[in-house]
Amino acid sequence: MKKRSVGRNILYVILVGYAIITLIPFLWALSSSFKTLEEIVSGSMNFIPKDFTFDNYKTIFIEQELFPRWLFNSVFIASVATALNLIFNSMAGYALARLSFPGKNALFVIILAVLMIPAQVTMIPNYLILKELGWLNSYQGMIAPSMINATFIFMMRQFFINFPKELEEAALIDGLNRFGIFFKVVLPLARPALAAQTIFVFMGIWNDFMRPLIVLSDPNLYTLPLGLNTFKGQYISYWNYIMAASMIFTLPVLLIYAFFNKYFIKGISFTGGK
Amino acid sequence: MKRKYSPARLRDAGQGYLFMSPALFVLLLFVIGPILYAIFLSFNDVQLLGGTSYKFVAFENFAKILDDTRAKIALWNTFKYVVIVVPCQTILALILAATLNAGLKGEKLFRIIYFLPTLTSSAVLTLIFMWMYNQNGLINNLLSMIGLPTYNWMGDPAVALNAIMIMNIWSTAPFFMVIYLAALQDVPDSLYEAAELDGAGPIKKFWYITVPNLRPVTSFVVIMGIIGTFQLFDQSYIFSGGSGGPNNSTLTVVLLIYQYAFKNFGTMGYAAALAFALALVILVATLLQRKFSKEESLY
C-alpha cells in the first residue's frame, strides 16, 4: 500500500504542477490589468498589485471610445451567427438523417469533403465574392459565410440518426406537420447536442481572427480580436491597458463555458470523431 | 415499391430540400463556388485596381513558387513548427489525460483549469505571452531566478519561432487531452486488472495497455494536429505585427498567403496557387501519417 501512495503523490505533483503552468499566464495578465503603469514600467514581478486600481478598465472604456463598439460588434456577430448555426445545422442534419430526397448521399459526401478543405483555399475567393456583393465591412459579410458549419451538420446528423422515431410518429398522428415535428418535438429534445454546438460555434466566431481581418477594414466594425490587435499597436507599451482589454474579451466565453460546462466534454466526443 | 413520383415522395423530397436550403445556399456561395473560383484564380494574374481583371497565365503561378525565397523560408518555418509541435502536444495531452484518469481527488477542478487556454482566443493568448516574453518580462525573470539563460524572445530571429511553439503546445495540448479522456473511458478495466495480477507497475500499464489501446485516437489527434499546425497564422501575425519578422523567422505559409493576397498588389493569383500548394502539402502529410499509423496498428 505504501508504494501506491508514492505513486499517487507523483500523480498529484504532475497535476498540480501543470495546473500552475496553465494558470500563471492568466493570473499574470489579470494582475497586470489591475496594476498602475508605474508599477508595470518598474518591472515588478509581484502577482498582487501594490496599488490595486480599476483605472485601466475605466480608461479603455472611456478614452478608447471604440472599445465598447468592438465589444458590441463581437457580441452581435457571434450571437446572431450562433443562433443561425443552431437552426440551419440542425435542419440540414435532420434532413440528412431522416428525410429522403434525390442527391442526399451525394450531398452528405460533399459536406464531409468540405471538412477537409483548408480555409486558406476559400479565403481569397470569399473576399472577392463579398466585394462583388458589396458586403465587405458589413455585419452580413461577417455572418453569412459563417452561418452554417459542416462539422456540426455532421454531428447533428449522427445525433438524429439515433433519435427514437416513435416520438415523431406519435406527433404525426397528433396532426403535426414536418416543421411542427421538427421545431416542437425534435429540437427541444436535441438540447444536449445544441448546447455543445453553442459553445463551439460561439467560441469559434468570437475568437476568430482571420475572417474579420480580411472582411473588415473600418475600425467601427472591428470585432474584439482585431480591435485588440490595433489597440496593441496604439498602446504599445501600455501593457496594463492591453491586459485589461484582454480580460474583458475573455470573460464572455468563460461565462458561456461555466453555463454549458456539462455539455462540453460530450461535445468534444461528438466532434472528436468517436 | 412505391411509384416513383407518388405525392408522398414528392412532398418528402420537397421537405428535404427545404430543410437543406440554408446549408445549400452557404455551401454553394461560400464554399464550393469559392473552391472552383480559387482554381480559376490560381491560373490567372489578378488585378484589383477598380474592378477585378484576370489574365490567364497557365501554370506560371505554380512555377513561381519554386523561385520564391520567402515561400521556401515560410515552408521551412511551418515544417519545423509542425514537426516539433505535433509530437510535443500529443505526448503532453496523453500524459495529462492518463494522469487525470487515475481517479484522484479534484479531477474536475484540474480539468476546468487545464481547459482555460482552449477557451481563450488566440489573440488574447498571444498578447499575454508577448507581455510575458518581454525583455524584462516574467519569463526571463523566472529563468534568471533559477539560473537559466534569458532570451530576447520576440526580437531574436533564432528564438522567435520557438517562443510561438512553446505558447502553442501549452494552449492546444488541453484540447487533445479531452479527446484522450473520452477515449480512456472505453479502455476495458479488465485489461488493467489482468496486468496488475501479472505484477505490472503503473508505468508498464501505461506503456503496454493505455498507449496501444489509444492508438486509433492518437492517429486522429495527430492528423488534427497536423492540419491545425500547418495553418498557423493568428499567432505569428500578431506576434510580428503582420510582417513575419524578425528577419522572416516567424513567417508561416498562411501568413505569406495573406501578405500576397491582401498586402501586395497583383499577386492574388499567386496567393491562390500558394493556398493550393498548402492544401496539397496538408493532404500528403495526413495521408502519410495514416499510412504509418495503419502499418503499426494493433487491429
Side-chain angles (χ1 to χ4, degrees):
Chain A
M1 273 298 112
K2 192 144 189 234
K3 226 169 131 195
R4 246 223 171 119
S5 74
V6 173
R8 291 207 144 212
N9 286 338
I10 294 174
L11 291 183
Y12 270 119
V13 169
I14 298 178
L15 285 181
V16 173
Y18 199 76
I20 293 172
I21 291 175
T22 306
L23 280 176
I24 281 182
F26 291 101
L27 294 178
W28 186 238
L30 189 66
S31 101
S32 304
S33 76
F34 291 112
K35 284 180 180 171
T36 59
L37 185 62
E38 282 168 8
E39 196 174 347
I40 293 253
V41 174
S42 75
S44 77
M45 283 301 129
N46 44 320
F47 274 80
I48 295 167
K50 266 183 246 149
D51 299 309
F52 189 90
T53 172
F54 278 107
D55 284 353
N56 303 324
Y57 288 91
K58 272 188 221 150
T59 309
I60 55 173
F61 273 101
I62 293 163
E63 269 176 37
Q64 180 67 44
E65 68 268 25
L66 280 181
F67 191 81
R69 182 75 203 265
W70 296 335
L71 187 62
F72 168 79
N73 292 339
S74 269
V75 171
F76 180 75
I77 291 170
S79 319
V80 173
T82 305
L84 293 175
N85 261 282
L86 289 181
I87 300 171
F88 294 158
N89 294 340
S90 309
M91 281 169 67
Y94 182 75
L96 290 171
R98 274 289 201 272
L99 304 172
S100 68
F101 52 93
K104 183 168 103 168
N105 293 333
L107 258 178
F108 183 56
V109 172
I110 289 174
I111 286 170
L112 285 184
V114 161
L115 286 173
M116 321 275 173
I117 306 286
Q120 290 77 39
V121 171
T122 52
M123 135 186 134
I124 298 165
N126 261 332
Y127 169 83
L128 294 175
I129 290 169
L130 291 175
K131 187 173 168 240
E132 276 315 302
L133 291 169
W135 284 6
L136 292 176
N137 282 313
S138 73
Y139 288 129
Q140 66 268 35
M142 284 295 297
I143 291 170
S146 51
M147 64 191 181
I148 66 149
N149 183 322
T151 312
F152 293 99
I153 294 180
F154 178 67
M155 180 186 109
M156 291 315 284
R157 176 187 176 271
Q158 303 309 93
F159 180 85
F160 288 130
I161 272 186
N162 298 318
F163 190 79
K165 261 202 173 108
E166 295 74 24
L167 282 172
E168 289 174 65
E169 279 156 10
L172 198 65
I173 293 167
D174 286 348
L176 279 178
N177 65 15
R178 194 52 88 172
F179 283 90
I181 295 174
F182 180 74
F183 284 105
K184 287 188 185 142
V185 179
V186 176
L187 268 193
L189 289 167
R191 238 175 272 148
L194 293 179
Q197 214 183 131
T198 307
I199 310 176
F200 284 105
V201 173
F202 187 90
M203 251 175 55
I205 297 169
W206 178 264
N207 292 338
D208 191 10
F209 183 72
M210 194 189 258
R211 189 189 302 279
L213 182 67
I214 292 166
V215 176
L216 308 172
S217 53
D218 173 2
N220 276 307
L221 289 165
Y222 277 5
T223 55
L224 274 174
L226 273 195
L228 214 55
N229 189 46
T230 50
F231 198 71
K232 185 202 108 206
Q234 193 179 342
Y235 292 98
I236 194 130
S237 48
Y238 291 83
W239 284 101
N240 48 335
Y241 296 159
I242 298 172
M243 287 303 119
S246 301
M247 290 299 105
I248 301 253
F249 181 11
T250 310
L251 199 63
V253 187
L254 288 184
L255 290 177
I256 289 202
Y257 175 60
F259 195 71
F260 289 110
N261 178 30
K262 62 175 168 171
Y263 301 109
F264 211 76
I265 304 291
K266 222 181 258 167
I268 289 187
S269 42
F270 273 138
T271 46
K274 281 211 354 135
Chain B
M1 278 299 278
K2 281 183 200 165
R3 266 190 309 136
K4 211 173 172 193
Y5 295 109
S6 74
R9 274 196 79 140
L10 275 178
R11 200 189 55 220
D12 253 25
Q15 281 170 344
Y17 290 124
L18 213 59
F19 270 80
M20 288 297 302
S21 56
L24 278 177
F25 169 74
V26 177
L27 272 180
L28 285 176
L29 189 59
F30 295 113
V31 184
I32 296 166
I35 291 172
L36 301 175
Y37 196 1
I39 297 174
F40 171 77
L41 289 174
S42 65
F43 290 107
N44 281 275
D45 240 356
V46 184
Q47 289 297 340
L48 276 183
L49 299 167
T52 319
S53 67
Y54 312 96
K55 197 180 117 224
F56 184 73
V57 294
F59 285 95
E60 223 168 79
N61 285 329
F62 289 94
K64 223 162 92 186
I65 297 175
L66 303 174
D67 300 324
D68 185 348
T69 338
R70 292 195 82 213
K72 278 179 205 151
I73 294 172
L75 188 64
W76 175 239
N77 287 341
T78 310
F79 178 74
K80 257 198 308 198
Y81 179 81
V82 173
V83 168
I84 293 173
V85 171
V86 172
C88 289
Q89 75 189 11
T90 309
I91 293 167
L92 182 59
L94 181 59
I95 292 173
L96 288 177
T99 317
L100 263 185
N101 202 43
L104 299 175
K105 271 186 206 145
E107 227 178 63
K108 260 200 182 143
L109 178 69
F110 285 118
R111 199 142 74 175
I112 292 172
I113 293 174
Y114 291 174
F115 219 77
L116 283 175
T118 307
L119 298 169
T120 312
S121 97
S122 52
V124 167
L125 289 181
T126 311
L127 289 178
I128 292 180
F129 271 78
M130 286 178 78
W131 169 221
M132 295 198 307
Y133 278 137
N134 243 339
Q135 284 260 20
N136 312 311
L138 185 69
I139 292 183
N140 275 346
N141 265 288
L142 288 177
L143 285 177
S144 65
M145 230 164 68
I146 49 175
L148 290 171
T150 60
Y151 299 96
N152 179 2
W153 293 97
M154 291 182 288
D156 182 352
V159 291
L161 188 65
N162 299 357
I164 297 181
M165 286 180 189
I166 293 171
M167 168 176 115
N168 273 16
I169 293 168
W170 172 88
S171 72
T172 15
F175 176 77
F176 293 124
M177 171 198 82
V178 177
I179 294 178
Y180 272 128
L181 266 178
L184 276 170
Q185 311 296 319
D186 299 339
V187 180
D189 285 335
S190 56
L191 287 177
Y192 291 107
E193 282 156 18
E196 229 159 273
L197 284 178
D198 291 341
I203 294 180
K204 273 198 169 148
K205 279 194 280 183
F206 176 74
W207 192 247
Y208 289 108
I209 300 175
T210 312
V211 173
N213 270 286
L214 289 179
R215 216 165 257 174
V217 185
T218 302
S219 179
F220 174 77
V221 166
V222 170
I223 287 181
M224 296 297 286
I226 290 173
I227 294 175
T229 44
F230 263 117
Q231 300 187 43
L232 175 69
F233 174 77
D234 303 6
Q235 293 83 344
S236 51
Y237 182 95
I238 298 171
F239 210 80
S240 65
S243 69
N247 196 18
N248 288 334
S249 60
T250 61
L251 184 70
T252 64
V253 177
V254 182
L255 183 51
L256 190 67
I257 294 172
Y258 173 82
Q259 289 180 351
Y260 278 128
F262 302 109
K263 291 287 153 229
N264 298 11
F265 286 107
T267 46
M268 205 171 232
Y270 177 55
L274 262 179
F276 270 111
L278 173 70
L280 190 72
V281 170
I282 295 177
L283 183 73
V284 170
T286 39
L287 288 179
L288 277 179
Q289 195 283 332
R290 266 213 152 124
K291 195 166 179 297
F292 283 126
S293 69
K294 241 182 214 143
E295 270 165 14
E296 43 177 70
S297 168
L298 256 192
Y299 308 101

